[in-house]
Amino acid sequence: MAKLSDRAAGAVGSLGEYLAEQRRHAQLSLRQLSDLAGVSNPYLSQIERGLRKPSAEVLQQLAKALRISAETLYVRAGILDPDESEEGKQPSTVVDAVLLDPALNERQKRVLLDVYASFVRENTPSAD
């Protein structure tokens, strides 16, 4: 297997640490996240330990399962240049703000987004 460059290896390590932190914050076990994301448990463990560099597709699956921004994972994995991302700027929507808020757990995010969606539906004029 080809050796990762120092920059890529550092990015993968920080990506793995970030994923593990987000998984713990969402109160998910490694096995639960692997089931939600559709990746194998050993592979996810290797990603978290910085031994594997996941593809953009796998990162997207993990982001969806964790309900976080895939863009954030792309930046941490070195796939996307931080200058090209919205990272570090104010969230552009309420949904982004809720999904990116580390102070909220998974259940709280889901409830807030459900309430927000109901308000938006209620306030959107019908097309009758």
Side-chain angles (χ1 to χ4, degrees):
M1 186 162 108
K3 193 172 183 181
L4 295 172
S5 71
D6 290 340
R7 180 175 173 219
V12 171
S14 65
L15 169 68
E17 292 166 8
Y18 180 74
L19 281 172
E21 177 185 319
Q22 292 300 310
R23 177 179 57 77
R24 285 189 296 272
H25 191 71
Q27 299 177 344
L28 295 171
S29 70
L30 197 64
R31 188 171 306 278
Q32 288 170 320
L33 179 56
S34 70
D35 289 343
L36 286 171
V39 299
S40 75
N41 190 29
Y43 183 59
L44 180 56
S45 174
Q46 290 174 348
I47 292 170
E48 284 192 0
R49 290 181 289 144
L51 302 175
R52 296 282 183 155
K53 183 176 180 183
S55 67
E57 182 178 321
V58 169
L59 290 174
Q60 187 172 17
Q61 290 170 240
L62 289 168
K64 184 176 180 182
L66 289 167
R67 297 189 72 153
I68 60 174
S69 166
E71 186 177 79
T72 302
L73 295 183
Y74 294 157
V75 170
R76 288 189 177 263
I79 294 173
L80 185 63
D81 186 2
D83 297 334
E84 296 173 10
S85 77
E86 295 296 315
E87 187 71 17
K89 297 181 182 177
Q90 290 294 328
S92 59
T93 67
V94 172
V95 174
D96 290 340
V98 170
L99 292 176
L100 294 174
D101 192 332
L104 300 173
N105 66 37
E106 184 66 26
R107 187 186 63 75
Q108 291 168 330
K109 288 178 184 181
R110 194 171 40 250
V111 170
L112 275 173
L113 291 175
D114 288 345
V115 170
Y116 175 70
S118 71
F119 286 155
V120 169
R121 280 191 305 273
E122 183 179 306
N123 294 331
T124 302
S126 63
D128 290 344

